[in-house]
Amino acid sequence: MRSIPYGKQNITQEDIEAVIEVLKADFLTQGPKISEFEENFANYIGSRYAVAVSNGTAALHLAAMALGIEPGDRIITTPITFAASANCILYCGGEVYFADIDSETYTISLNSIEKLLRSHPKGYFKGIIPVDFTGYPVNLEDLRKLAIEHGMWILEDACHAPGGYFIDSKDKNQLCGNSNFADAAIFSFHPVKHIASGEGGMITTNNREVYEKLLVLRTHGITRENLIKDFPNPELQGGWYYEMQELGYNYRITDFQAALGNSQLKRADEGLKRRQEIAEKYYAAFSENKNIKLQKRSPNNYNAYHLFVIEIDDRKGLYDHLKANNIYAQVHYIPVHLMPFYKKFGWKEGDFPNAENYYEKCISLPMYPTLTDSEQDYVIEKVKSFV
Ligand SMILES: *Cc1c(COP(=O)(O)O)cnc(C)c1O
């Protein structure tokens, strides 16, 4: 029996041909596939602008910069996420604050955010980075009200949720990352995510100013527009001329990665549907079982199911049992505030009880479009036999 991971990319012949085509063409990087990918992705998500970058962490860093984090700015995020959602704040010299999760949805809790906000003067926090954890869309319409009241921007980490949506009060589907309520959103194209480009990331926004900053920051802060030309003879600066006006980075994606992302994007809806089927089958198999807790479902939410998480008392026992049967489940995530690095800032056990209780029990079962029915049956059988 081949081993079953918790997540896996799906590369087709069409994907391979799309990459080969670029390898034979004129540009390996900075070619036409990048803007094509950006345009297609913006259309898919429903945002005005999209900027492709080298990975999801770079997307977080640049978006945080473009939204204007300055040294000392206090930014809120969730402890149940990949460390990068918090690290990007520190890259900009900001201070990381956490708000506890909701024990049913596992996403950042609006109540705990409100509590944190109310215990400080208005203006104390500059921004918030909610995460659509597992693919469960955070209700950004509600969060936006709080953000307006407290003068905060919202950067949505939608790495788990391309294609996921919540329904707003006007009964409209709000796709994760469409930036109707957030100021910007980011995605990752790491192979375990919905759309794989090797490494890769995307920032989406509807804000032209943020968009233009991102373009400059992505490539060293160098621009050929709005030139200053602070020379005695500016007219002697010719066609070669450019200026570095800000401190940026090299966070560019390559053209062949963009070609792969583009090709994968065509199958994104197909993959989402398959993820729904797999989730339905897990729910049907486990919902009657008193020893297994499942993530809450809501008719107002379309979960994109990057992950399928269950909670169980003997999590380590189940993890080892599955591993012994060639099933490589994972744990998402060890709370960020309990990482040795973050503990140095004074965070400690007991700070976020919901996140910590969740971490004691959570385990992510295999969830990816090419998981076959018989493989899923096998996973379900092994979970049940352990429980
Ligand atoms: C994957 C991921 C990232 C980082 O993306 P990379 O492309 O690996 O840098 C950030 N946040 C979340 C929630 C993720 O799952």
Side-chain angles (χ1 to χ4, degrees):
M1 170 120 200
R2 66 177 180 147
S3 65
I4 304 176
Y6 83 88
K8 193 182 179 182
Q9 76 274 21
N10 172 25
I11 302 292
T12 64
Q13 190 56 35
E14 199 183 344
D15 291 340
I16 293 167
E17 278 158 20
V19 173
I20 290 174
E21 191 191 312
V22 173
L23 294 178
K24 289 178 174 167
D26 289 338
F27 301 99
L28 284 188
T29 183
Q30 300 308 94
K33 292 294 168 194
I34 296 173
S35 43
E36 204 180 300
F37 187 30
E38 289 171 336
E39 205 171 299
N40 291 341
F41 195 83
N43 283 336
Y44 179 66
I45 293 298
S47 67
R48 204 167 300 155
Y49 308 107
V51 177
V53 293
S54 47
N55 57 65
T57 305
L60 280 163
H61 185 187
L62 287 195
M65 282 181 82
L67 291 173
I69 298 192
E70 295 198 356
D73 283 359
R74 302 177 192 90
I75 314 296
I76 302 166
T77 191
T78 168
I80 297 297
T81 184
F82 186 57
S85 317
N87 293 350
C88 67
I89 301 164
L90 298 177
Y91 295 160
C92 302
E95 283 181 43
V96 178
Y97 282 73
F98 298 100
D100 207 352
I101 62 163
D102 179 299
S103 329
E104 306 301 317
T105 67
Y106 313 146
T107 57
I108 195 165
S109 142
L110 224 63
N111 284 338
S112 59
I113 297 168
E114 241 181 314
K115 235 160 100 188
L116 181 63
L117 292 174
R118 304 242 181 274
S119 62
H120 294 90
K122 270 193 188 155
Y124 193 82
F125 297 100
K126 288 279 157 52
I128 182 158
I129 304 179
V131 179
D132 301 309
F133 176 64
T134 74
Y136 190 100
V138 172
N139 187 320
L140 292 183
E141 187 182 27
D142 292 347
L143 186 60
R144 174 48 87 188
K145 288 177 197 143
L146 270 183
I148 289 172
E149 192 188 333
H150 290 266
M152 300 190 301
W153 47 252
I154 301 174
L155 169 54
E156 178 185 10
D157 182 339
C159 284
H160 295 186
Y165 62 80
F166 71 93
I167 297 171
D168 72 14
S169 60
K170 297 190 182 80
D171 280 344
K172 275 179 68 182
N173 292 348
Q174 295 290 344
L175 275 165
C176 292
N178 72 4
S179 295
N180 285 351
F181 295 106
D183 295 278
I186 69 102
F187 295 86
S188 162
F189 307 123
H190 181 279
V192 296
K193 310 287 163 73
H194 289 62
I195 297 160
S197 70
E199 298 280 356
M202 192 76 81
I203 306 147
T204 53
T205 183
N206 293 338
N207 182 321
R208 182 157 191 100
E209 209 177 307
V210 168
Y211 171 66
E212 284 173 354
K213 269 190 204 160
L214 290 169
L215 292 180
V216 173
L217 292 172
R218 169 173 68 178
T219 178
H220 307 281
I222 285 173
T223 180
R224 290 175 188 273
E225 278 165 46
N226 303 316
L227 298 170
I228 298 164
K229 293 199 179 173
D230 183 17
F231 291 93
N233 301 98
E235 70 281 4
L236 294 182
Q237 307 310 319
W240 65 85
Y241 187 75
Y242 63 81
E243 284 176 355
M244 188 199 130
Q245 296 182 346
E246 280 181 76
L247 184 61
Y249 296 84
N250 177 356
Y251 281 165
R252 297 185 302 255
I253 194 170
T254 65
D255 218 45
F256 52 94
Q257 287 172 307
L260 178 55
N262 240 332
S263 180
Q264 294 249 314
L265 184 58
K266 290 185 199 152
R267 295 197 310 280
D269 280 333
E270 211 178 292
L272 263 182
K273 266 192 217 125
R274 178 69 190 130
R275 285 173 189 272
Q276 298 301 314
E277 280 172 18
I278 293 169
E280 284 303 329
K281 193 160 166 172
Y282 278 139
Y283 272 96
F286 300 137
S287 55
E288 299 294 313
N289 195 312
K290 297 216 166 28
N291 298 314
I292 296 175
K293 184 180 160 190
L294 299 169
Q295 187 179 26
K296 184 181 159 183
R297 293 202 280 183
S298 155
N300 289 326
N301 253 344
Y302 185 84
N303 190 329
Y305 288 115
H306 161 55
L307 300 174
F308 192 89
V309 174
I310 67 172
E311 285 183 81
I312 174 165
D313 284 339
D314 184 8
R315 185 263 312 276
K316 182 166 185 302
L318 177 59
Y319 176 89
D320 291 340
H321 174 73
L322 293 177
K323 195 169 164 190
N325 286 287
N326 262 335
I327 300 165
Y328 293 85
Q330 251 305 350
V331 168
H332 301 91
Y333 292 95
I334 303 162
V336 179
H337 71 286
L338 298 182
M339 288 291 165
F341 176 79
Y342 277 93
K343 280 186 168 174
K344 287 194 272 187
F345 294 87
W347 304 107
K348 56 184 186 314
E349 272 88 2
D351 282 345
F352 304 103
N354 293 353
E356 292 165 32
N357 289 338
Y358 163 82
Y359 170 61
E360 295 292 306
K361 297 179 178 176
C362 67
I363 183 164
S364 306
L365 299 182
M367 167 56 87
Y368 50 92
T370 54
L371 181 71
T372 65
D373 280 332
S374 63
E375 284 170 333
Q376 194 184 3
D377 288 339
Y378 176 75
V379 172
I380 290 169
E381 177 202 316
K382 293 300 168 197
V383 172
K384 281 187 164 169
S385 68
F386 179 80
V387 172

